[in-house]
Amino acid sequence: MERKTYTKVCKRCGKTFTAKMKQTRFCHSCAGAQCAGRKKAHGEERGKHVKNNMEGLTNASIEARAHGMTYGQWMGQKYKGRVKVYREE
């Protein structure tokens, strides 16, 4: 049984190519570059998120030390305050 093939035009470079799947949008040479571009963009976005999270942890740690507590004690106090607020509502 032969698989059906589709003649497509690449959305990136405009070349005509043969695809094995109906949903394929890029030729073989452009598919790798397209995937790498998406991964790079995702990695940059993820890096920003991790950096922001680390800044938050650092700030919380500095704030805890300023109040004479460890990070865990400080976060516990903040959590207790949140629980009381939720229970009052």
Side-chain angles (χ1 to χ4, degrees):
M1 183 172 163
E2 278 187 45
R3 289 186 78 168
K4 187 172 182 175
T5 57
Y6 303 92
T7 304
K8 307 273 236 146
V9 176
C10 179
K11 299 263 186 195
R12 189 162 189 219
C13 67
K15 280 194 305 188
T16 304
F17 68 100
T18 305
K20 294 179 182 178
M21 295 186 291
K22 194 173 185 176
Q23 65 268 27
T24 303
R25 295 182 292 161
F26 304 104
C27 66
H28 183 71
S29 58
C30 291
Q34 186 72 16
C35 181
R38 277 196 320 268
K39 284 185 178 180
K40 183 179 178 186
H42 178 70
E44 290 171 355
E45 185 177 309
R46 181 181 167 94
K48 290 177 186 175
H49 176 71
V50 170
K51 183 179 177 185
N52 289 341
N53 190 24
M54 291 303 291
E55 288 174 1
L57 291 173
T58 303
N59 292 339
S61 180
I62 291 169
E63 200 172 335
R65 289 294 174 189
H67 287 86
M69 298 181 196
T70 65
Y71 173 79
Q73 290 169 335
W74 179 249
M75 295 309 287
Q77 290 295 324
K78 284 178 72 172
Y79 177 73
K80 282 182 184 178
R82 287 184 190 157
V83 171
K84 289 178 184 176
V85 171
Y86 290 139
R87 289 182 182 167
E88 289 176 358
E89 291 179 358

